[in-house]
Amino acid sequence: MNILITGCNGQLGNEMQLLEKENPQHTYFNTDVAELDITDQKAIETFVATNEIDGIVNCAAYTAVDKAEDNKELCTTLNTVAPAYLAAAIEKRGGWIIQISTDYVFNGTKHTPYVETDTPCPDSVYGSTKLAGELGVQKFCQKTMIIRTAWLYSTFGNNFVKTMIRLGKEKPELGVIFDQVGTPTYARDLAVAIFAAINKGIVPGIYHYSNEGIISWYDFTKAIHRIAGITTCHVRPLHTEEYPTPANRPHYSVLDKTKIKQTYGIEVPYWEESLAECIVKLKN
């Protein structure tokens, strides 16, 4: 297959590129804004037709959750409009699209893991634009697979793990929120799951993917410091209201992975094992 990867310079896009070497049966077109502007419908149609694209993995998104509150127009363009353009273009070729979405389509008031059939109820501009993106992609392409993920980190780009390691080395004390719980996702594990779906054959629908387990941001930070060997920084637990942010965040955003595991035969790693793997790579 000829596969278009958008957002190739992001965390997931970079991990996808590394795994392409292990899946040489396909031809990949790795693009970011310099190679393909996904807000330009004509450019997308031309690219998809000219390169005879069979499938798209859309890793591109506006992910600055707090900035999104003041940049609704740009956030909507990247998270809602652009995915619909991609879906419409690949539908003309009878192809498939994998759209990466988020736990932020839920407001986090549940107390049991979110399943794919739960009614979305976003509580932020970011979450609302990502939900609208899901609906648009499904509307314009029959073979649509949506993967909602959460708390993404990797060795690439800016993310929570790298920030906590840096701050842990720089500061004697840190305050981190303890009353928001979810599950971290190592972007490499998500990329492995995406390739499993591609190689088995896309089964359209909505899926949830994060690593296994449940943890708070506070406990996640403690684990990051322990594994990274940081002993000089005291981490204090904070209530959400002690650390106000422009965007509301879900207090509980654990995702149930049963559907993706059963459909594609995927084994999902435990969050701490994947975190340790990532930190070893960061050290190297």
Side-chain angles (χ1 to χ4, degrees):
M1 287 184 286
N2 292 332
I3 300 174
L4 166 61
I5 312 286
T6 63
C8 73
N9 293 336
Q11 293 191 83
L12 181 57
N14 269 298
E15 296 289 3
M16 291 291 292
Q17 289 186 78
L18 291 179
L19 285 173
E20 286 168 10
K21 301 177 182 71
E22 298 174 22
N23 295 269
Q25 68 271 35
H26 309 302
T27 302
Y28 303 95
F29 296 82
N30 297 301
T31 67
D32 216 290
V33 67
E35 295 80 24
L36 177 62
D37 179 1
I38 62 167
T39 68
D40 184 337
Q41 186 173 17
K42 198 71 188 163
I44 292 169
E45 290 174 351
T46 302
F47 191 99
V48 168
T50 304
N51 295 294
E52 299 181 339
I53 301 297
D54 300 299
I56 299 172
V57 183
N58 183 27
C59 304
Y62 186 104
T63 57
V65 176
D66 288 325
K67 288 181 181 176
E69 295 296 312
D70 294 320
N71 291 298
K72 187 173 183 179
E73 189 175 345
L74 177 59
C75 193
T76 301
T77 301
L78 285 169
N79 292 349
T80 304
V81 179
Y85 289 163
L86 291 166
I90 198 66
E91 176 70 14
K92 288 180 181 175
R93 287 192 43 78
W96 50 263
I97 184 169
I98 298 176
Q99 168 71 6
I100 308 302
S101 193
T102 172
D103 58 323
Y104 278 66
V105 301
F106 301 113
N107 63 10
T109 55
K110 251 189 108 177
H111 301 287
T112 54
Y114 281 96
V115 293
E116 291 81 357
T117 51
D118 282 330
T119 303
C121 42
D123 196 22
S124 64
V125 169
Y126 170 68
S128 298
T129 59
K130 290 297 285 184
L131 176 60
E134 290 185 10
L135 298 171
V137 173
Q138 288 177 303
K139 178 182 177 182
F140 290 108
C141 180
Q142 291 181 20
K143 296 175 187 171
T144 290
M145 178 183 185
I146 289 161
I147 306 178
R148 295 174 181 150
T149 191
W151 297 26
L152 203 67
Y153 70 90
S154 72
T155 57
F156 300 99
N158 298 315
N159 56 66
F160 188 81
V161 171
K162 291 166 83 170
T163 299
M164 290 302 111
I165 290 174
R166 176 176 57 79
L167 292 177
K169 291 175 179 177
E170 292 174 359
K171 295 181 178 293
E173 186 173 282
L174 274 178
V176 182
I177 290 169
F178 80 94
D179 58 357
Q180 293 174 19
V181 297
T183 313
T185 308
Y186 183 23
R188 181 175 175 83
D189 293 337
L190 176 56
V192 168
I194 289 169
F195 274 105
I198 290 170
N199 292 331
K200 185 165 184 178
I202 300 299
V203 180
I206 298 172
Y207 298 83
H208 289 170
Y209 187 94
S210 66
N211 284 119
E212 296 284 20
I214 300 174
I215 196 164
S216 73
W217 290 110
Y218 166 77
D219 294 305
F220 190 29
T221 303
K222 295 284 282 185
I224 292 165
H225 285 187
R226 185 182 75 249
I227 294 167
I230 296 168
T231 57
T232 55
C233 180
H234 173 62
V235 183
R236 287 185 301 107
L238 294 179
H239 288 90
T240 296
E241 43 276 17
E242 292 179 80
Y243 191 80
T245 55
N248 292 325
R249 282 156 168 78
H251 277 273
Y252 184 94
S253 64
V254 182
L255 301 174
D256 187 296
K257 278 81 69 175
T258 305
K259 184 179 177 182
I260 199 165
K261 288 189 283 191
Q262 291 180 345
T263 304
Y264 296 106
I266 293 167
E267 194 168 311
V268 180
Y270 178 57
W271 71 265
E272 192 166 350
E273 293 164 7
S274 292
L275 175 62
E277 183 185 317
C278 180
I279 288 176
V280 166
K281 287 181 181 175
L282 283 170
K283 283 182 175 179
N284 293 338

